[in-house]
Amino acid sequence: MAPALLLVPAALASFILAFGTGVEFVRFTSLRPLLGGIPEYGGPDARQGWLAALQDRSILAPLAWDLGLLLLFVGQHSLMAAERVKAWTSRYFGVLQRSLYVACTALALQLVMRYWEPVPRGPVLWEAQAEPWATWVPLLCFVLHVISWLLIFSILLVFDYAELMGLKQVYYHVLGLGEPLALKSPRALRLFSHLRHPVCVELLTVLWVVPTLGMDRLLLALLLTLYLGLAHGLDQQDLRYLRAQLQRKLHLLSRPQDGEAE
């Protein structure tokens, strides 16, 4: 096991990489399609039929490239979450297992975002062109994206952000407190085994609620929607536990501070 002086910088480096990647992901999924920064969809080619578009190599080539990037991300995210792989990484990396998973996920997502190929010449599923929709639809999408990202950040805090990023594991190890998951209740462990991502609905809103849904955005939304759907297995017992935890958190936040209850 590496000494504590090496564990802490490694965990912090993974956290900084993940945080920066999260900021970049907000720009990639929300700011670029809502505020510009990608080629505009339009022209006669954008109005061609879907069957004709799927026979156009200039459209199929970037779509195939984007699909490969998404499969790389999904493969990494799923493979490293498998029990055998987690056991292997825990054996060789110890308390840094979670930090390694977070860092690899961030790197895979960086590859997707940096090498993503837009397909501006293909057909679009929908597009707000005529007024007043050309003004109000982007504004509505922007508001929904802001609300979704605020909910995502809030939910991550409720789910113990430090533990999700691997910082808490190293902190507990350095202080000799053991594994954080060992202190979780059986109901919490059961929930974590069924829940791949705690912000599924909000991410789906970000992926689908856009003024213009072109072929590359449709590919991104479809594949990630399918992945998020298959990665979740929540039942009524999990939902009751989530509701109880949310109510407890809200109760703690609403309690008056010491000296303010007078």
Side-chain angles (χ1 to χ4, degrees):
M1 180 59 62
L5 291 179
L6 296 180
L7 293 176
V8 174
L12 286 175
S14 173
F15 171 78
I16 293 172
L17 175 62
F19 184 83
T21 301
V23 174
E24 180 71 12
F25 188 67
V26 174
R27 187 187 71 84
F28 177 75
T29 56
S30 293
L31 297 184
R32 287 209 309 176
L34 295 180
L35 302 180
I38 59 174
E40 293 185 359
Y41 294 86
D45 290 332
R47 294 191 295 270
Q48 66 180 311
W50 287 82
L51 291 179
L54 294 178
Q55 298 174 359
D56 189 338
R57 289 189 177 183
S58 65
I59 294 176
L60 287 179
L63 282 179
W65 176 260
D66 294 340
L67 178 62
L69 291 174
L70 287 173
L71 291 178
L72 173 66
F73 169 73
V74 169
Q76 174 276 323
H77 206 54
S78 300
L79 181 63
M80 293 193 68
E83 291 300 326
R84 289 187 178 182
V85 177
K86 288 171 66 175
W88 183 86
T89 53
S90 296
R91 177 183 177 185
Y92 289 98
F93 294 91
V95 72
L96 290 176
Q97 182 271 330
R98 182 66 188 180
S99 295
L100 176 66
Y101 175 78
V102 169
C104 290
T105 298
L107 290 174
L109 192 55
Q110 285 283 354
L111 288 175
V112 172
M113 295 184 295
R114 290 183 180 274
Y115 295 101
W116 185 264
E117 290 285 348
V119 188
R121 294 183 58 249
V124 296
L125 192 60
W126 66 69
E127 183 177 15
Q129 288 184 326
E131 293 293 347
W133 308 114
T135 298
W136 289 106
V137 170
L139 180 60
L140 177 61
C141 292
F142 179 80
V143 171
L144 291 176
H145 277 234
V146 170
I147 294 174
S148 296
W149 285 116
L150 289 176
L151 287 174
I152 287 173
F153 298 144
S154 301
I155 292 172
L156 290 178
L157 291 177
V158 171
F159 268 81
D160 199 340
Y161 187 70
E163 186 173 336
L164 288 174
M165 295 294 103
L167 288 175
K168 194 172 184 178
Q169 289 85 333
V170 173
Y171 175 75
Y172 272 45
H173 176 79
V174 171
L175 296 182
L177 300 177
E179 173 64 34
L181 283 178
L183 305 177
K184 300 288 186 183
S185 68
R187 295 175 67 191
L189 295 177
R190 184 179 187 276
L191 171 68
F192 294 158
S193 68
H194 292 169
L195 185 65
R196 176 63 59 83
H197 208 293
V199 288
C200 180
V201 175
E202 293 79 8
L203 277 178
L204 293 181
T205 301
V206 169
L207 290 172
W208 287 99
V209 180
V210 288
T212 301
L213 189 68
M215 296 190 72
D216 58 305
R217 182 67 176 211
L218 178 61
L219 175 67
L220 177 70
L222 275 177
L223 194 59
L224 292 186
T225 298
L226 180 62
Y227 177 63
L228 289 171
L230 294 177
H232 284 69
L234 299 184
D235 54 21
Q236 291 298 322
Q237 186 174 342
D238 294 322
L239 294 176
R240 286 195 297 269
Y241 174 76
L242 274 174
R243 190 180 300 112
Q245 290 300 305
L246 179 59
Q247 291 174 351
R248 185 177 67 86
K249 296 279 187 180
L250 292 175
H251 176 70
L252 291 175
L253 292 174
S254 62
R255 286 194 313 180
Q257 302 293 326
D258 294 339
E260 296 181 2
E262 299 178 358

